[in-house]
Amino acid sequence: MVRVRIAPSPTGDPHVGTAYIALFNMCFARQAGGKFVLRIEDTDQQRSTAKSEQAILDSLSWLGLQWDEGPDVGGEYGPYRQSERADIYTKHAQQLIDSGKAFYCYRTPQELDELRAQRREQGIQKALKASDLQLSNEEIERRKAQGIAPVVRMVVPEEGPCHVRDRLRGLIELDWANVDAQILLKQDGLPTYHLANVVDDHLMQISHVIRGEEWINSAPKHQLLYEYFGWDMPELVHMPLLRNPDKSKLSKRKNPTSITYYRDAGFMPEGLVNYLGRMGWSMPDESEKFSLGEMVSQFDIDKVSLGGPVFDQEKLRWLNGLWIREDLQPAEFIQRYANWAFPQGKAEAIVDLLQQRVETFADMAPLASVFFVDHPSLKQESFDALKLDAETQLKVLQFLSWTLDQQSDWQRDALYQQIAALADKMGLKLRDFLQPVFVAMSGSTVCPPVFDLMSIVGADLSRVRLRLAIEFLGGVSKKAAKRLEKEFATL
Ligand code: GLU
């Protein structure tokens, strides 16, 4: 029985990389008549949020990538949220401790830094192993008495080659010397990714692990854990990473990466799924446009090519255009457009802002257009006419962009507070600070109140508008970014 899974961590915006891996897992499962499982890996208590989990579920559903088992739909192998499985991991960690494959470690993070620094100085290029971390019995007792909670680490070989088989790459050789005695249980008693992932993949009877290439280096530890437990390991398939057009790893600094951005910017889910299906894979007849159903029927995981697939906005737009023009009957176009343009509450919010500014209904459309574009077109004159000099404008937009990257509450008042606080910290009058923000968000200095505008168009479009304005103004070089980051950190 084929059983595959995706295992996203709910620690931020729902990422297109998650959708990409979900798509390939789902096609593999559907074709084999197997099951596609969604498991939430939320053992990082500080960073995981229920909101992010919901956004992942919603955006995958929007794309039509439906799972058979998961936290919302249940299934035989639940719970499907790792935070609800803590006892299972403790039990398994104990099993490894009892068999001498794992040990308690009372070392502090500072000590680890020191140990690493010492080794660098001595030119030793070896990861930290059990033998490096040992403490005398008295010292352990002393730390216990101080109430220091230990972590549990796994025993890993000191050196020598480790061979891991990947379905697309064949036998990969990695060096044990580079692998730390990995933490399995953290001080808070919760597992790390490695332990939880292996235990769950086994208990959920996952047959194939199809995931991103960035996890290859974890494979030796996982393989060893399977060995320690005496379990068979699922077959591994590491998919190539999505890339920016300059071939660097897809990053939100250069490309919108949130699935919700593509929804809000007016893409069709069919277009995005089609495009993701072409990342490293193609139809046997090379056709560029295909539906999810067509992909499932023709899918062959062994035909995935490993050259880093480039996620290119222009190509995606082009493909989406085919879908919009060829696949929507006018009535459906109207329906979908209306749903996109007026999600719940948006019309009310816009009327609330604009009714008092118009004399006729005909005055509405020009004023409201900023709510219905992905980004406004920018003109240099609009920035030139502002009070702040060009350099300060760029700084304002960059600092704001960094501030809002961290912002999850996108209500008007929360935005106001953050932005006013930033202007204050930068020693600028709010009115002056806001001018370039107005232009970035609306393309003009006369725009609806900017906090409302941001709140209504939402996080994804607002962030992209800021980024595009920064680029429009000449962008921030790597060197300048370093300098600005330092300044930003001192605010
Ligand atoms: N939690 C990991 C992630 O966020 C899962 C990686 C895996 O599929 O093993 O992508």
Side-chain angles (χ1 to χ4, degrees):
M1 173 71 162
V2 164
R3 288 179 56 80
V4 294
R5 87 307 187 267
I6 53 162
S9 297
T11 52
D13 295 332
H15 200 279
V16 283
T18 303
Y20 160 62
I21 297 297
L23 171 64
F24 279 72
N25 271 284
M26 188 180 127
C27 287
F28 188 75
R30 293 280 174 272
Q31 206 181 44
K35 295 281 187 227
F36 170 43
V37 177
L38 185 133
R39 179 173 76 228
I40 294 291
E41 299 208 332
D42 59 349
T43 56
D44 183 340
Q45 280 185 309
Q46 251 109 58
R47 296 177 58 226
S48 300
T49 65
K51 195 169 160 200
S52 167
E53 176 184 317
Q54 195 55 50
I56 293 173
L57 302 187
D58 291 345
S59 50
L60 293 177
S61 300
W62 175 69
L63 288 171
L65 303 175
Q66 195 49 55
W67 48 99
D68 304 302
E69 297 169 28
D72 54 340
V73 293
E76 267 179 68
Y77 300 85
Y80 292 92
R81 212 177 267 121
Q82 289 187 330
S83 56
E84 293 165 22
R85 300 171 64 83
D87 297 351
I88 303 177
Y89 311 122
T90 327
K91 199 178 95 202
H92 283 88
Q94 190 59 49
Q95 199 179 318
L96 295 179
I97 294 169
D98 295 343
S99 58
K101 306 297 190 204
F103 60 98
Y104 288 110
C105 175
Y106 287 87
R107 292 284 193 168
T108 62
Q110 294 88 307
E111 276 178 306
L112 296 179
D113 288 345
E114 278 162 29
L115 280 169
R116 291 202 174 98
Q118 270 170 24
R119 296 156 82 92
R120 263 199 306 278
E121 267 169 34
Q122 294 163 4
I124 302 176
Q125 296 206 337
K126 207 169 128 198
L128 291 174
K129 309 287 179 177
S131 53
D132 303 308
L133 299 167
Q134 259 173 4
L135 288 170
S136 65
N137 285 343
E138 300 84 75
E139 184 57 23
I140 292 178
E141 289 311 319
R142 204 176 64 76
R143 293 187 182 199
K144 271 191 199 167
Q146 284 179 342
I148 295 178
V151 299
V152 174
R153 290 178 181 271
M154 80 187 271
V155 175
V156 295
E158 296 276 328
E159 55 195 9
C162 165
H163 294 106
V164 179
R165 184 168 295 284
D166 175 276
R167 176 147 169 180
L168 301 175
R169 294 152 209 267
L171 210 56
I172 306 171
E173 185 175 307
L174 296 123
D175 191 348
W176 278 121
N178 300 327
V179 181
D180 271 333
Q182 174 63 48
I183 296 181
L184 297 177
L185 284 188
K186 298 174 287 188
Q187 272 189 317
D188 63 7
L190 287 176
T192 55
Y193 156 70
H194 305 280
L195 177 68
N197 189 270
V198 164
V199 167
D200 286 348
D201 281 347
H202 173 73
L203 295 178
M204 296 181 181
Q205 298 196 17
I206 298 304
S207 59
H208 299 75
V209 167
I210 305 173
R211 64 182 167 200
E213 186 181 346
E214 71 265 40
W215 303 102
I216 287 186
N217 287 336
S218 301
K221 296 179 229 181
H222 296 185
Q223 182 163 283
L224 190 59
L225 284 172
Y226 281 103
E227 245 173 74
Y228 285 169
F229 286 120
W231 299 334
D232 289 335
M233 184 164 81
E235 184 165 18
L236 299 181
V237 185
H238 289 97
M239 297 287 296
L241 281 185
L242 301 182
R243 311 229 159 229
N244 297 312
D246 66 6
K247 286 280 179 182
S248 57
K249 181 179 159 194
L250 191 69
S251 65
K252 66 175 171 201
R253 292 264 153 105
K254 298 190 179 156
N255 236 317
T257 54
S258 172
I259 302 170
T260 46
Y261 166 79
Y262 294 94
R263 185 196 60 202
D264 295 354
F267 287 84
M268 280 173 65
E270 291 90 336
L272 182 54
V273 164
N274 182 172
Y275 191 57
L276 290 172
R278 295 181 47 197
M279 298 287 103
W281 189 78
S282 50
M283 283 297 240
D285 66 359
E286 305 276 318
S287 49
E288 300 192 276
K289 180 162 170 261
F290 49 85
S291 68
L292 182 54
E294 285 161 344
M295 178 167 174
V296 168
S297 68
Q298 300 294 326
F299 187 64
D300 181 353
I301 193 113
D302 296 311
K303 295 265 159 58
V304 168
S305 74
L306 296 176
V310 171
F311 191 87
D312 178 341
Q313 298 290 317
E314 290 308 315
K315 281 248 171 67
L316 169 59
R317 278 186 78 90
W318 167 80
L319 187 60
N320 196 71
L322 296 185
W323 277 94
I324 289 237
R325 295 191 300 270
E326 296 172 5
D327 289 75
L328 295 181
Q329 293 301 318
E332 200 189 350
F333 184 104
I334 292 168
Q335 186 65 51
R336 290 229 204 172
Y337 179 76
N339 290 344
W340 172 81
F342 295 109
Q344 217 195 359
K346 183 166 164 185
E348 290 79 353
I350 294 174
V351 169
D352 212 30
L353 284 182
L354 300 184
Q355 188 174 358
Q356 298 309 318
R357 299 170 182 235
V358 297
E359 292 170 336
T360 65
F361 293 137
D363 292 345
M364 275 300 280
L367 286 181
S369 69
V370 287
F371 295 103
F372 300 98
V373 291
D374 52 358
H375 57 83
S377 47
L378 301 174
K379 284 191 245 46
Q380 188 59 45
E381 305 95 82
S382 327
F383 288 102
D384 289 343
L386 306 181
K387 177 124 184 260
L388 299 176
D389 61 61
E391 199 186 325
T392 315
Q393 289 181 26
L394 200 55
K395 190 151 87 175
V396 160
L397 295 175
Q398 184 59 74
F399 283 11
L400 181 58
S401 170
W402 285 333
T403 303
L404 294 182
D405 271 350
Q406 311 302 324
Q407 179 78 9
S408 63
D409 183 349
W410 217 259
Q411 303 287 324
R412 182 202 180 282
D413 293 346
L415 290 172
Y416 173 79
Q417 273 174 13
Q418 280 296 335
I419 294 175
L422 176 63
D424 192 41
K425 282 191 271 185
M426 290 176 74
L428 294 171
K429 285 209 193 90
L430 185 59
R431 194 162 13 109
D432 300 340
F433 177 101
L434 285 179
Q435 284 185 339
V437 184
F438 271 109
V439 180
M441 289 300 299
S442 70
S444 136
T445 42
V446 260
C447 92
V450 75
F451 303 110
D452 298 277
L453 172 57
M454 285 179 144
S455 171
I456 295 171
V457 301
D460 290 305
L461 293 188
S462 300
R463 288 184 180 130
V464 165
R465 289 181 190 190
L466 288 175
R467 183 169 61 75
L468 291 177
I470 292 169
E471 275 168 27
F472 181 82
L473 292 175
V476 176
S477 69
K478 267 205 181 133
K479 208 164 130 207
K482 281 241 163 68
R483 190 170 42 77
L484 285 177
E485 267 167 30
K486 269 203 196 128
E487 191 180 332
F488 183 63
T490 62
L491 284 183

